[in-house]
Amino acid sequence: NAGVTQTPKFQVLKTGQSMTLQCAQDMNHEYMSWYRQDPGMGLRLIHYSVGAGITDQGEVPNGYNVSRSTTEDFPLRLLSAAPSQTSVYFCASSYGLAGIGDTGELFFGEGSRLTVL
Amino acid sequence: AQSVTQLGSHVSVSEGALVLLRCNYSSSVPPYLFWYVQYPNQGLQLLLKYTTGATLVKGINGFEAEFKKSETSFHLTKPSAHMSDAAEYFCALMRGGYQKVTFGTGTKLQVIP
């Protein structure tokens, strides 16, 4: 069981370039999310999805787009990278909506370290 | 609005000493509470969680936490620190019935031989 797989693990971009961080899970989880981790700020939610075709904004959505065409995949797109987006990005998934047989435990990928020059 | 406050961004303990990492929360409804651990260059993994029922929760690697509603706290403890416990620890909150999880800013635990 692979769990949550993120690619790439490392990426360097120039300001203004675009890229997509990939996230795939093989646990049939309904809920998927993207966080960014910055020193001293913990993890901040960027976007999340409660099922295929359904996405919503988190705490820090500006500069990022997401889509959820399948249960398994939840890519994060940076349309025009900025140095402020230098961070470590984590994808996380969970079984489903809390209160419906789910306790909210998140399963994390290993992270994607992005540097924007 | 819900929030999580972790007191102390860095904590140092001697090997064999008590580990105490503090977490206080704010939530308008009873939350689910979690502790996650992150080892260097890895993702987060669940240490323990409180949902309902017993307020003293036991997790992996000898860690436990107690939910105290009156103090809005969920402190993490371990009786005897081991070198392998050196990591960053995150307290997190999920409001019951809603999926978004709010994380604290993390506490880095250093274990001194």
Side-chain angles (χ1 to χ4, degrees), chain A residues 82-116:
Chain A
S84 60
Q85 295 178 303
T86 294
S87 187
V88 181
Y89 292 85
F90 287 99
C91 179
S93 70
S94 183
Y95 287 103
L97 295 177
I100 310 175
D102 170 43
T103 59
E105 174 185 352
L106 289 170
F107 296 80
F108 283 84
E110 293 192 344
S112 297
R113 186 175 297 273
L114 175 66
T115 301
V116 182

Side-chain angles (χ1 to χ4, degrees), chain B residues 2-38:
Chain B
Q2 58 193 43
S3 65
V4 176
T5 302
Q6 290 185 240
L7 298 177
S9 58
H10 291 80
V11 170
S12 294
V13 300
S14 298
E15 190 174 16
L18 171 72
V19 175
L20 171 61
L21 304 181
R22 300 178 186 274
C23 173
N24 287 89
Y25 71 90
S26 173
S27 176
S28 57
V29 297
Y32 292 176
L33 293 161
F34 308 84
W35 276 100
Y36 286 85
V37 60
Q38 183 182 30

Side-chain angles (χ1 to χ4, degrees), chain B residues 37-96:
Chain B
V37 60
Q38 183 182 30
Y39 298 104
N41 299 315
Q42 294 187 25
L44 281 71
Q45 55 184 282
L46 184 70
L47 205 53
L48 50 79
K49 61 187 175 188
Y50 168 79
T51 54
T52 58
T55 56
L56 182 61
V57 180
K58 295 187 184 299
I60 61 172
N61 300 336
F63 284 92
E64 62 182 36
E66 187 171 9
F67 172 64
K68 292 187 176 181
K69 186 177 178 181
S70 61
E71 299 178 8
T72 60
S73 69
F74 191 57
H75 302 331
L76 181 70
T77 61
K78 182 175 181 177
S80 177
H82 191 272
M83 295 300 295
S84 61
D85 294 327
E88 190 161 16
Y89 294 80
F90 291 91
C91 184
L93 172 157
M94 185 180 75
R95 225 170 52 198

Side-chain angles (χ1 to χ4, degrees), chain A residues 18-75:
Chain A
S18 62
M19 78 156 301
T20 300
L21 300 178
Q22 302 290 347
C23 176
Q25 53 90 11
D26 61 359
M27 297 173 283
N28 202 30
H29 285 172
E30 292 185 36
Y31 178 83
M32 296 186 74
S33 56
W34 278 101
Y35 286 87
R36 60 178 289 173
Q37 183 179 29
D38 302 291
M41 304 191 74
L43 280 81
R44 292 180 292 169
L45 182 65
I46 304 171
H47 285 285
Y48 67 97
S49 169
V50 298
I54 306 169
T55 64
D56 205 348
Q57 297 180 351
E59 180 185 357
V60 288
N62 293 340
Y64 308 95
N65 279 352
V66 293
S67 60
R68 184 94 178 270
S69 57
T70 68
T71 300
E72 295 77 19
D73 300 299
F74 190 46

